[in-house]
Amino acid sequence: MRRLALLVLLLLPLALFWESDEADEGIDALLDRIDLSGWDAWFSEHAPDVDLLPSEYLKGLAEQRTPAAGLTLDALSERLLPSLKTASGKAALLLGLAVIGAAIGGLSGDSSVGETAQTAFLWTVCGTVLLAAFREAVAAVDAILAIGRTAELVLPVLIGFLTFSGMEHTALLLSASQAAFSDTALQLIRTVVVPCAVIGGVFHAFDAGSKGRLGALGRLLMRAAKWILGTVSALFLTVTVIRAAAAGSADGLLLKTGKFAAASIPSIGTLLSESVDVALLCLRFVRNALGLTGCVTVLLIAARPVATTALARCAFFAASALSEPLSVRPYTELLRGMGSMLGVLLLAELASAALTLLLIAPAFGAGGV
């Protein structure tokens, strides 16, 4: 209530000039209190190919113009082209190994020397495929860590602005949600989901060409990773939505109470009520712009690693489908297993980004809007 009163006093002169450009000065005054230097530095490090910084994006939104955040078709094509070339080269390499395996099988026949050559080929390509898949797994883990670090940088600014604006219940919700995300959800994804997927992929690779139980165990681990990921995401979503509704209602009631209290003051109640409306409009405008800037920052940082993992998964499945007519079944099963492993890692990246956006979402509904 005290913060709301201070904001009313700050924006009281603007109520008299609401139809003029002087109302923009209130928004500029609020923007001057927001420091996005940390966002800019982190964004420059992890998205150096995007020419627009978060602070510039926020300023563009505040000026009511649409800033180009590298989301045009040409910009997206330029960003995805290196990943697409890498995935195409990887698919060509995997398909070339399938051709070599088919040639070895055709030339060697059913002799003991041929069986030895096929076994040596299978173990060689198994190591090659595992190495390629492990590189993608390491990149996926780095992407999950980067998304978590982005959440740690984005939320304090939002929490500080909400606290300054008098929306303390939503600010407390964001603090609690950040702790739950970092200590529970993200920790489970990093320490349980990703290892289960990788170990399942390794078991599947070691079982290629045989009828042992390692392949079945690997598939079981990957299904368990998907189940854990879905359960964690669903629980986090449910708890956050319920608590966000309660926090938004509480903040909305507090702001409406302040407006009614200001309107009840004799003589100047109407003027103060208009000043409260001006203050709330400015706060909501800046809050929504800041929240949208945080969402765009998370999406742009997560876009390239997610696209890279998705293209790598497509490369493994494409190579698997194209090598199947060559009658290299163990190799085909190996590629399909690695593609499934990358699919789980892709889901983990997407879940981390989605949970981060869910952390920011309550800020849009603060104040009962």
Side-chain angles (χ1 to χ4, degrees):
M1 187 70 72
R2 293 179 179 178
R3 293 187 180 90
L4 183 59
L6 291 175
L7 287 172
V8 170
L9 292 177
L10 175 64
L11 300 176
L12 179 59
L14 302 180
L16 301 176
F17 306 99
W18 178 243
E19 299 297 333
S20 67
D21 294 336
E22 296 192 20
D24 295 336
E25 297 179 3
I27 297 176
D28 294 336
L30 293 175
L31 291 175
D32 289 339
R33 301 184 65 90
I34 300 175
D35 182 16
L36 296 185
S37 58
W39 292 18
D40 291 344
W42 180 255
F43 189 79
S44 299
E45 179 182 353
H46 287 82
D49 50 346
V50 180
D51 298 330
L52 193 63
L53 297 176
S55 59
E56 297 174 353
Y57 188 84
L58 177 62
K59 184 178 179 181
L61 291 177
E63 294 175 354
Q64 300 184 13
R65 56 181 175 86
T66 304
L71 298 178
T72 62
L73 184 60
D74 293 338
L76 289 176
S77 301
E78 292 178 359
R79 293 195 69 195
L80 296 180
L81 187 59
S83 300
L84 183 60
K85 289 181 178 179
T86 302
S88 300
K90 190 172 297 182
L93 173 63
L94 296 175
L95 185 59
L97 292 176
V99 173
I100 294 175
I104 292 176
L107 294 175
S108 59
D110 297 331
S111 63
S112 58
V113 176
E115 293 180 358
T116 303
Q118 292 180 16
T119 302
F121 166 78
L122 182 60
W123 282 107
T124 301
V125 297
C126 181
T128 303
V129 171
L130 278 177
L131 179 60
F134 278 161
R135 289 180 177 176
E136 301 298 335
V138 171
V141 173
D142 292 339
I144 293 173
L145 292 176
I147 293 172
R149 178 58 179 160
T150 303
E152 294 177 358
L153 290 174
V154 167
L155 286 180
V157 179
L158 284 171
I159 293 172
F161 182 77
L162 291 173
T163 303
F164 166 75
S165 304
M167 306 175 191
E168 297 179 352
H169 294 87
T170 305
L172 292 175
L173 167 64
L174 293 185
S175 299
S177 299
Q178 181 184 5
F181 172 73
S182 301
D183 299 337
T184 303
L186 191 63
Q187 193 72 11
L188 285 174
I189 292 175
R190 288 171 49 197
T191 61
V192 179
V193 174
V194 173
C196 282
V198 173
I199 294 173
V202 172
F203 283 171
H204 199 285
F206 286 164
D207 197 49
S210 62
K211 298 182 179 179
R213 298 181 178 178
L214 288 179
L217 182 59
R219 290 188 292 271
L220 177 62
L221 286 174
M222 285 188 279
R223 284 197 295 268
K226 292 181 181 179
W227 183 85
I228 295 172
L229 185 62
T231 302
V232 170
S233 301
L235 289 176
F236 189 84
L237 171 64
T238 303
V239 173
T240 302
V241 167
I242 294 174
R243 296 182 63 182
S249 300
D251 285 333
L253 178 61
L254 179 62
L255 295 176
K256 289 181 180 179
T257 302
K259 179 181 177 180
F260 289 152
S264 63
I265 299 177
S267 301
I268 61 172
T270 303
L271 181 59
L272 287 178
S273 179
E274 293 177 355
S275 300
V276 172
D277 287 336
V278 173
L280 293 181
L281 287 174
C282 292
L283 288 173
R284 289 168 182 171
F285 181 83
V286 176
R287 179 205 64 196
N288 291 336
L290 184 60
L292 182 59
T293 302
C295 292
V296 171
T297 302
V298 173
L299 290 175
L300 289 179
I301 287 179
R304 169 167 283 186
V306 168
T308 300
T309 305
L311 290 174
R313 177 177 178 272
C314 292
F316 275 94
F317 277 118
S320 173
L322 293 175
S323 62
E324 192 168 1
L326 299 177
S327 299
V328 194
R329 185 171 183 179
Y331 181 65
T332 302
E333 293 177 353
L334 172 63
L335 294 180
R336 190 176 293 115
M338 293 300 100
S340 299
M341 182 193 75
L342 291 180
V344 178
L345 295 179
L346 176 62
L347 291 176
E349 291 179 90
L350 292 174
S352 300
L355 293 180
T356 303
L357 296 178
L358 183 62
L359 287 176
I360 303 174
F364 293 98
V369 182

